[in-house]
Amino acid sequence: MLCSLCPRKCKAERLDDIGEGICHSPALPRVARAALHFGEEPCISGVNGSGTVFFSGCPLGCRFCQNHSISHENYGKTISIERLADIFRELVAQGAHNINLVNPTHFALAIRQALDIYRPPVPIVYNSSGYESLETLRALEGYVDVYLPDLKYLDDGLAASLSGVGDYVAHATKAVLEMARQTGPVQLDDNGIAQKGTIVRHLVLPGHTRVSMEVLEWLHDHLPSGTYISVLLQYTPFGNLPSPLDRPLTLRECRKIKDFVEDIGIDGYIQQHHSDGAQYVPIFDLTGV
């Protein structure tokens, strides 16, 4: 295939087991871990855990990525479409509240094919960076029950510097609105588990609280009623990063964001300051693959 799944539309050649382009991914899905995961929002993880499939590679190049070994270094195992469908079955059998597809953008076609083989009796969660093309999202309409995208920035210069793309804002803002259109408002079952809807995440970066306030205000003003916003205060530096990304958030920064969220009022979640991002990073060892 000559790939145009993400907004880069780089037309890179992707064969079954090797691939070119920014994501360096094959056409068949490449997976680093498939297991129950408890580090998501309460309405995703629940009591039993989210049936999470971590895909390798990424259309972005975020310098602060906490899943660096799979997103940048492409650690994982290439599997067949049929095996991906079987993984969905196995996670459901383990009691997963949902099938949670982490960083799925560049494997959207393969995921849709796997869902044509086996449609799980639990919600499908599309857990994305937000850097999505409208064409790919529209091809997924009816396949995805819950969208869980990021909105990282409203500044393309910052996006270019920290994530390696200079057109993030236009694509990500259109993407989250399309996701919300497809799913409608968040719907929870009797156990508080999301069955439908869109939850937009924003990770607060150290030294960038003004950026976060701009993003949160945009989400508050533009998302339709019933869409949740999840404010993440778990930032933990991994690797050799420049200042101020080389430190956690300060208590003052967290208070500033919490006060702002309280002032504008949002539906959704905000993490406690003591949350440590390291606890949300699983061991990528091909478990369940």
Side-chain angles (χ1 to χ4, degrees), residues 1 13-20 23-31 56 74 76-80 107:
M1 64 180 288
E13 185 174 15
R14 296 173 63 187
L15 304 177
D16 281 355
D17 55 353
I18 59 172
E20 300 175 352
C23 69
H24 299 291
S25 297
L28 289 175
R30 189 166 176 82
V31 178
S56 305
N74 285 61
K77 178 181 178 181
T78 302
I79 61 175
S80 67
F107 294 116

Side-chain angles (χ1 to χ4, degrees), residues 157-218:
L158 190 60
S161 173
L162 298 185
S163 293
V165 290
D167 59 355
Y168 178 85
V169 176
H171 290 292
T173 52
K174 290 176 183 176
V176 298
L177 295 177
E178 171 63 17
M179 293 172 181
R181 180 199 69 78
Q182 286 187 21
T183 64
V186 173
Q187 300 174 30
L188 306 179
D189 68 8
D190 293 341
N191 295 313
I193 303 299
Q195 304 298 298
K196 293 282 289 184
T198 295
I199 304 167
V200 184
R201 288 171 162 172
H202 174 70
L203 175 66
V204 181
L205 299 177
H208 293 81
T209 53
R210 185 172 297 278
V211 171
S212 291
M213 289 189 288
E214 291 174 353
V215 170
L216 294 172
E217 185 170 29
W218 187 94

Side-chain angles (χ1 to χ4, degrees), residues 216-278:
L216 294 172
E217 185 170 29
W218 187 94
L219 290 170
H220 174 268
D221 292 346
H222 290 84
L223 289 177
S225 177
T227 307
Y228 285 6
I229 301 169
S230 181
V231 184
L232 307 180
L233 300 175
Q234 70 198 49
Y235 179 85
T236 302
F238 287 86
N240 184 21
L241 294 168
S243 179
L245 297 178
D246 59 349
R247 62 169 176 82
L249 295 169
T250 64
L251 182 59
R252 181 176 181 276
E253 288 171 325
C254 291
R255 285 176 175 164
K256 187 174 182 180
I257 294 300
K258 287 182 176 181
D259 288 346
F260 183 78
V261 167
E262 184 176 348
D263 287 344
I264 65 173
I266 65 168
D267 292 328
Y269 306 97
I270 184 166
Q271 284 184 325
Q272 298 301 311
H273 174 244
H274 63 261
S275 295
D276 177 6

Side-chain angles (χ1 to χ4, degrees), residues 30-50:
R30 189 166 176 82
V31 178
R33 181 180 176 89
L36 297 178
H37 184 57
F38 297 88
E40 311 288 20
E41 286 74 6
C43 68
I44 302 296
S45 290
V47 174
N48 295 347
S50 178

Side-chain angles (χ1 to χ4, degrees), residues 16 22 40 53 64 71 73 77 92 108 129 142 169 204 260 277 285:
D16 281 355
I22 296 296
E40 311 288 20
V53 182
F64 51 85
S71 64
E73 299 173 5
K77 178 181 178 181
V92 170
S129 70
V169 176
V204 181
F260 183 78
D285 57 0

